[in-house]
Amino acid sequence: MEGANQTEGSEFLLLGMSESPKQQKILFWMFLCMYLVTVVGNALIILAISSDSRLHTPMYFFLAISSDSRLHTPMYFFLVNLSFTDLFFVTNTIPKMLVNLQSQNKAIAYAGCLTQLYFLVSLVALDNLILAVMAYDRYVAICHPLHYVTAMSPGLCILLLSLCWVFSVLYGLIHTLLMTRVTFCGSRKIHYLFCEMYVLLRLACSNIHVNHTVLVATGCFIFLIPLGFMITSYARIVRAILRIPSATGKYKAFSTCASHLAVVSLFYGTLGMVYLQPLQTYSMKDSVATVMYAVVTPMMNPFIYSLRNKDMHGALGRLLQGKAFWKLT
């Protein structure tokens, strides 16, 4: 009990990637710019979709699917939720990171660290599950287009999204509650950007066998199973695209899922660089890879999804020209 009380009343020092004042100033402006780009980009995606009747319908964005958008609306419904997740994700970590880069006091309270950890773990899981649902959406749209409207019904879409939230919340709660059992009685200096699972476990001086076992078991369920599902979906999508006789048809079919495939590759590529290694070999050099999945990926998502998407180009153009704002009221 004494060790636990000592831990609960302690603070951690988030020292970041560098202790050099000159480098910290550069990092501050770099992360500030990336944060602003992420917020503006994802906010524009949300506003463009929610204000354009071509991309959504009034009830739940798609409850009455119109004939000109029936193959797109569920995809944009999930894209809005992905953008919301990315907004919360970067807001959970970057503002505190910016404060630490400008302040001499780099401490974060034990409760604050656990709160940051909970949202970090939950939102990473939610991002992953939404990407899996979007892969299923593209699979049905390309491989079973005649059944798309009935297969991706409003009720099923809401159910899938609700399950994503439930599993993500439970995943975050499990690991956060397990972390409260860990005692930190040594150095509390974290040469990292935020309170991350592996970093905290490396600082622990109590037995973390249960934490590590549950982390591996739940990680397989939350990440590896959806990844396998996405790989299978895209294998079938590629096979279906190759059967299309015309080159134009192949290009159109591939363009509908190319952006999602790029986001999945970026997300899992950077996530794998951090977590596909034993806890014993985990070091502070992995903070660069962490920046990739925690900061760069949410920043790039709006650009990837709008780069080759004519519907998004039109919606963003109308939004920026002020032609769609009246629909929000």
Side-chain angles (χ1 to χ4, degrees), residues 236-272:
R236 295 184 178 183
I237 287 172
V238 170
R239 187 173 61 182
I241 291 176
L242 292 176
R243 291 176 180 173
I244 300 176
S246 67
T248 304
K250 290 180 180 179
Y251 175 79
K252 288 182 178 179
F254 181 74
S255 63
T256 62
C257 60
S259 57
H260 179 257
L261 187 59
V263 170
V264 170
S265 301
L266 181 62
F267 178 79
Y268 272 99
T270 54
L271 204 64

Tab-separated table of all heavy atoms in Angstrom, residues 236-272:
chain	number	residue	atom	x	y	z
A	236	ARG	N	-9.687	-9.687	-51.986
A	236	ARG	CA	-10.889	-9.936	-52.786
A	236	ARG	C	-11.233	-8.738	-53.666
A	236	ARG	O	-11.724	-8.901	-54.785
A	236	ARG	CB	-12.053	-10.276	-51.862
A	236	ARG	CG	-11.857	-11.587	-51.111
A	236	ARG	CD	-13.065	-11.950	-50.264
A	236	ARG	NE	-12.878	-13.232	-49.594
A	236	ARG	CZ	-13.805	-13.813	-48.832
A	236	ARG	NH1	-14.968	-13.209	-48.635
A	236	ARG	NH2	-13.557	-14.985	-48.261
A	237	ILE	N	-10.958	-7.536	-53.156
A	237	ILE	CA	-11.203	-6.332	-53.957
A	237	ILE	C	-10.305	-6.308	-55.187
A	237	ILE	O	-10.759	-6.039	-56.309
A	237	ILE	CB	-10.981	-5.068	-53.100
A	237	ILE	CG1	-12.119	-4.893	-52.099
A	237	ILE	CG2	-10.885	-3.821	-53.990
A	237	ILE	CD1	-11.896	-3.777	-51.087
A	238	VAL	N	-9.020	-6.606	-54.987
A	238	VAL	CA	-8.079	-6.635	-56.119
A	238	VAL	C	-8.488	-7.691	-57.130
A	238	VAL	O	-8.455	-7.451	-58.349
A	238	VAL	CB	-6.644	-6.898	-55.608
A	238	VAL	CG1	-5.696	-7.170	-56.774
A	238	VAL	CG2	-6.142	-5.711	-54.797
A	239	ARG	N	-8.908	-8.852	-56.653
A	239	ARG	CA	-9.353	-9.913	-57.559
A	239	ARG	C	-10.580	-9.476	-58.350
A	239	ARG	O	-10.673	-9.751	-59.555
A	239	ARG	CB	-9.661	-11.182	-56.758
A	239	ARG	CG	-9.975	-12.395	-57.621
A	239	ARG	CD	-10.087	-13.643	-56.777
A	239	ARG	NE	-11.177	-13.538	-55.795
A	239	ARG	CZ	-11.457	-14.486	-54.901
A	239	ARG	NH1	-10.700	-15.594	-54.859
A	239	ARG	NH2	-12.440	-14.331	-54.057
A	240	ALA	N	-11.498	-8.782	-57.701
A	240	ALA	CA	-12.693	-8.293	-58.400
A	240	ALA	C	-12.339	-7.216	-59.419
A	240	ALA	O	-12.901	-7.178	-60.524
A	240	ALA	CB	-13.701	-7.753	-57.388
A	241	ILE	N	-11.399	-6.334	-59.066
A	241	ILE	CA	-10.996	-5.264	-59.983
A	241	ILE	C	-10.325	-5.839	-61.225
A	241	ILE	O	-10.549	-5.363	-62.351
A	241	ILE	CB	-10.063	-4.268	-59.265
A	241	ILE	CG1	-10.846	-3.473	-58.212
A	241	ILE	CG2	-9.411	-3.303	-60.262
A	241	ILE	CD1	-9.985	-2.533	-57.382
A	242	LEU	N	-9.510	-6.865	-61.048
A	242	LEU	CA	-8.808	-7.469	-62.189
A	242	LEU	C	-9.771	-8.135	-63.170
A	242	LEU	O	-9.427	-8.331	-64.344
A	242	LEU	CB	-7.782	-8.489	-61.690
A	242	LEU	CG	-6.588	-7.906	-60.922
A	242	LEU	CD1	-5.689	-9.018	-60.407
A	242	LEU	CD2	-5.806	-6.936	-61.795
A	243	ARG	N	-10.968	-8.470	-62.705
A	243	ARG	CA	-11.961	-9.089	-63.587
A	243	ARG	C	-12.714	-8.070	-64.426
A	243	ARG	O	-13.420	-8.447	-65.370
A	243	ARG	CB	-12.964	-9.893	-62.749
A	243	ARG	CG	-12.355	-11.133	-62.099
A	243	ARG	CD	-13.383	-11.806	-61.205
A	243	ARG	NE	-12.844	-13.000	-60.563
A	243	ARG	CZ	-13.489	-13.701	-59.629
A	243	ARG	NH1	-14.715	-13.316	-59.253
A	243	ARG	NH2	-12.935	-14.770	-59.094
A	244	ILE	N	-12.596	-6.788	-64.088
A	244	ILE	CA	-13.269	-5.741	-64.863
A	244	ILE	C	-12.596	-5.637	-66.228
A	244	ILE	O	-11.375	-5.463	-66.312
A	244	ILE	CB	-13.214	-4.396	-64.123
A	244	ILE	CG1	-13.916	-4.515	-62.762
A	244	ILE	CG2	-13.856	-3.286	-64.956
A	244	ILE	CD1	-13.823	-3.268	-61.908
A	245	PRO	N	-13.345	-5.722	-67.324
A	245	PRO	CA	-12.722	-5.767	-68.656
A	245	PRO	C	-12.070	-4.463	-69.110
A	245	PRO	O	-11.002	-4.478	-69.711
A	245	PRO	CB	-13.896	-6.143	-69.579
A	245	PRO	CG	-15.128	-5.728	-68.812
A	245	PRO	CD	-14.803	-5.910	-67.378
A	246	SER	N	-12.688	-3.323	-68.801
A	246	SER	CA	-12.170	-2.053	-69.305
A	246	SER	C	-11.157	-1.444	-68.349
A	246	SER	O	-11.273	-1.568	-67.131
A	246	SER	CB	-13.308	-1.059	-69.535
A	246	SER	OG	-13.897	-0.696	-68.306
A	247	ALA	N	-10.164	-0.749	-68.934
A	247	ALA	CA	-9.146	-0.071	-68.121
A	247	ALA	C	-9.759	1.067	-67.322
A	247	ALA	O	-9.366	1.324	-66.179
A	247	ALA	CB	-8.029	0.441	-69.015
A	248	THR	N	-10.742	1.755	-67.924
A	248	THR	CA	-11.414	2.863	-67.231
A	248	THR	C	-12.171	2.354	-66.008
A	248	THR	O	-12.144	2.969	-64.939
A	248	THR	CB	-12.387	3.581	-68.177
A	248	THR	OG1	-11.681	4.026	-69.329
A	248	THR	CG2	-13.047	4.765	-67.483
A	249	GLY	N	-12.839	1.222	-66.165
A	249	GLY	CA	-13.574	0.640	-65.048
A	249	GLY	C	-12.644	0.220	-63.929
A	249	GLY	O	-12.955	0.402	-62.754
A	250	LYS	N	-11.487	-0.353	-64.286
A	250	LYS	CA	-10.508	-0.742	-63.271
A	250	LYS	C	-9.993	0.470	-62.505
A	250	LYS	O	-9.837	0.428	-61.290
A	250	LYS	CB	-9.338	-1.474	-63.926
A	250	LYS	CG	-9.679	-2.858	-64.457
A	250	LYS	CD	-8.458	-3.508	-65.090
A	250	LYS	CE	-8.805	-4.891	-65.612
A	250	LYS	NZ	-7.644	-5.545	-66.270
A	251	TYR	N	-9.730	1.554	-63.256
A	251	TYR	CA	-9.207	2.766	-62.615
A	251	TYR	C	-10.227	3.350	-61.647
A	251	TYR	O	-9.884	3.728	-60.520
A	251	TYR	CB	-8.851	3.799	-63.676
A	251	TYR	CG	-8.416	5.124	-63.100
A	251	TYR	CD1	-7.129	5.306	-62.607
A	251	TYR	CD2	-9.311	6.203	-63.039
A	251	TYR	CE1	-6.733	6.517	-62.067
A	251	TYR	CE2	-8.925	7.412	-62.498
A	251	TYR	CZ	-7.630	7.566	-62.015
A	251	TYR	OH	-7.251	8.766	-61.473
A	252	LYS	N	-11.491	3.422	-62.068
A	252	LYS	CA	-12.528	3.985	-61.204
A	252	LYS	C	-12.717	3.130	-59.951
A	252	LYS	O	-12.877	3.662	-58.848
A	252	LYS	CB	-13.846	4.097	-61.971
A	252	LYS	CG	-13.859	5.195	-63.020
A	252	LYS	CD	-15.214	5.283	-63.697
A	252	LYS	CE	-15.248	6.423	-64.718
A	252	LYS	NZ	-16.557	6.512	-65.396
A	253	ALA	N	-12.704	1.812	-60.130
A	253	ALA	CA	-12.893	0.923	-58.983
A	253	ALA	C	-11.726	1.042	-58.005
A	253	ALA	O	-11.921	1.088	-56.786
A	253	ALA	CB	-13.042	-0.518	-59.458
A	254	PHE	N	-10.508	1.089	-58.543
A	254	PHE	CA	-9.344	1.179	-57.675
A	254	PHE	C	-9.282	2.522	-56.955
A	254	PHE	O	-8.874	2.595	-55.791
A	254	PHE	CB	-8.062	0.963	-58.473
A	254	PHE	CG	-6.810	1.016	-57.637
A	254	PHE	CD1	-6.477	-0.036	-56.799
A	254	PHE	CD2	-5.983	2.123	-57.674
A	254	PHE	CE1	-5.335	0.012	-56.010
A	254	PHE	CE2	-4.837	2.184	-56.890
A	254	PHE	CZ	-4.513	1.120	-56.059
A	255	SER	N	-9.691	3.593	-57.644
A	255	SER	CA	-9.611	4.929	-57.040
A	255	SER	C	-10.529	5.072	-55.843
A	255	SER	O	-10.286	5.898	-54.955
A	255	SER	CB	-9.943	6.008	-58.074
A	255	SER	OG	-11.286	5.871	-58.526
A	256	THR	N	-11.604	4.263	-55.782
A	256	THR	CA	-12.536	4.364	-54.660
A	256	THR	C	-11.945	3.811	-53.357
A	256	THR	O	-12.406	4.151	-52.275
A	256	THR	CB	-13.846	3.610	-54.963
A	256	THR	OG1	-13.556	2.217	-55.144
A	256	THR	CG2	-14.522	4.163	-56.201
A	257	CYS	N	-10.933	2.953	-53.474
A	257	CYS	CA	-10.352	2.370	-52.253
A	257	CYS	C	-8.869	2.673	-52.094
A	257	CYS	O	-8.269	2.288	-51.089
A	257	CYS	CB	-10.571	0.850	-52.230
A	257	CYS	SG	-9.842	-0.025	-53.619
A	258	ALA	N	-8.260	3.364	-53.059
A	258	ALA	CA	-6.830	3.655	-52.988
A	258	ALA	C	-6.494	4.534	-51.794
A	258	ALA	O	-5.487	4.313	-51.110
A	258	ALA	CB	-6.359	4.321	-54.280
A	259	SER	N	-7.337	5.548	-51.531
A	259	SER	CA	-7.057	6.449	-50.409
A	259	SER	C	-7.121	5.708	-49.080
A	259	SER	O	-6.280	5.910	-48.196
A	259	SER	CB	-8.049	7.616	-50.411
A	259	SER	OG	-9.382	7.143	-50.356
A	260	HIS	N	-8.120	4.835	-48.933
A	260	HIS	CA	-8.241	4.069	-47.691
A	260	HIS	C	-7.062	3.123	-47.520
A	260	HIS	O	-6.521	2.974	-46.418
A	260	HIS	CB	-9.543	3.270	-47.684
A	260	HIS	CG	-9.740	2.440	-46.448
A	260	HIS	ND1	-9.530	1.076	-46.430
A	260	HIS	CD2	-10.089	2.780	-45.181
A	260	HIS	CE1	-9.756	0.611	-45.219
A	260	HIS	NE2	-10.101	1.617	-44.438
A	261	LEU	N	-6.621	2.508	-48.605
A	261	LEU	CA	-5.474	1.603	-48.545
A	261	LEU	C	-4.203	2.350	-48.144
A	261	LEU	O	-3.375	1.832	-47.390
A	261	LEU	CB	-5.282	0.922	-49.901
A	261	LEU	CG	-4.235	-0.188	-49.983
A	261	LEU	CD1	-4.566	-1.303	-48.997
A	261	LEU	CD2	-4.159	-0.742	-51.403
A	262	ALA	N	-4.057	3.590	-48.624
A	262	ALA	CA	-2.895	4.406	-48.261
A	262	ALA	C	-2.902	4.736	-46.773
A	262	ALA	O	-1.862	4.688	-46.106
A	262	ALA	CB	-2.882	5.687	-49.087
A	263	VAL	N	-4.079	5.078	-46.227
A	263	VAL	CA	-4.197	5.396	-44.802
A	263	VAL	C	-3.902	4.168	-43.949
A	263	VAL	O	-3.199	4.250	-42.932
A	263	VAL	CB	-5.607	5.946	-44.493
A	263	VAL	CG1	-5.824	6.052	-42.985
A	263	VAL	CG2	-5.796	7.308	-45.142
A	264	VAL	N	-4.435	3.012	-44.356
A	264	VAL	CA	-4.183	1.771	-43.620
A	264	VAL	C	-2.691	1.444	-43.606
A	264	VAL	O	-2.131	1.072	-42.569
A	264	VAL	CB	-4.983	0.607	-44.247
A	264	VAL	CG1	-4.538	-0.738	-43.657
A	264	VAL	CG2	-6.472	0.798	-44.005
A	265	SER	N	-2.042	1.596	-44.754
A	265	SER	CA	-0.607	1.305	-44.839
A	265	SER	C	0.198	2.234	-43.950
A	265	SER	O	1.123	1.797	-43.254
A	265	SER	CB	-0.141	1.433	-46.298
A	265	SER	OG	-0.851	0.559	-47.143
A	266	LEU	N	-0.144	3.525	-43.959
A	266	LEU	CA	0.562	4.494	-43.124
A	266	LEU	C	0.337	4.208	-41.645
A	266	LEU	O	1.281	4.236	-40.835
A	266	LEU	CB	0.099	5.914	-43.471
A	266	LEU	CG	0.755	7.067	-42.709
A	266	LEU	CD1	2.254	7.109	-42.992
A	266	LEU	CD2	0.103	8.403	-43.090
A	267	PHE	N	-0.902	3.914	-41.269
A	267	PHE	CA	-1.241	3.671	-39.868
A	267	PHE	C	-0.536	2.428	-39.342
A	267	PHE	O	0.147	2.466	-38.309
A	267	PHE	CB	-2.759	3.518	-39.733
A	267	PHE	CG	-3.235	3.223	-38.337
A	267	PHE	CD1	-3.341	4.240	-37.401
A	267	PHE	CD2	-3.586	1.935	-37.962
A	267	PHE	CE1	-3.787	3.972	-36.108
A	267	PHE	CE2	-4.034	1.659	-36.688
A	267	PHE	CZ	-4.130	2.682	-35.756
A	268	TYR	N	-0.685	1.302	-40.036
A	268	TYR	CA	-0.101	0.055	-39.548
A	268	TYR	C	1.413	0.027	-39.710
A	268	TYR	O	2.118	-0.607	-38.913
A	268	TYR	CB	-0.730	-1.136	-40.275
A	268	TYR	CG	-1.972	-1.630	-39.610
A	268	TYR	CD1	-3.226	-1.255	-40.087
A	268	TYR	CD2	-1.919	-2.447	-38.489
A	268	TYR	CE1	-4.381	-1.699	-39.474
A	268	TYR	CE2	-3.072	-2.893	-37.867
A	268	TYR	CZ	-4.298	-2.517	-38.358
A	268	TYR	OH	-5.442	-2.949	-37.736
A	269	GLY	N	1.926	0.706	-40.733
A	269	GLY	CA	3.371	0.746	-40.914
A	269	GLY	C	4.063	1.434	-39.754
A	269	GLY	O	5.039	0.927	-39.193
A	270	THR	N	3.540	2.592	-39.352
A	270	THR	CA	4.145	3.339	-38.240
A	270	THR	C	3.853	2.676	-36.899
A	270	THR	O	4.701	2.650	-36.008
A	270	THR	CB	3.618	4.787	-38.219
A	270	THR	OG1	2.176	4.773	-38.200
A	270	THR	CG2	4.076	5.541	-39.456
A	271	LEU	N	2.659	2.103	-36.750
A	271	LEU	CA	2.311	1.420	-35.493
A	271	LEU	C	3.182	0.183	-35.298
A	271	LEU	O	3.638	-0.106	-34.185
A	271	LEU	CB	0.832	1.026	-35.510
A	271	LEU	CG	0.134	0.830	-34.161
A	271	LEU	CD1	0.094	2.134	-33.381
A	271	LEU	CD2	-1.268	0.293	-34.367
A	272	GLY	N	3.423	-0.531	-36.398
A	272	GLY	CA	4.250	-1.730	-36.319
A	272	GLY	C	5.690	-1.428	-35.955
A	272	GLY	O	6.346	-2.220	-35.258
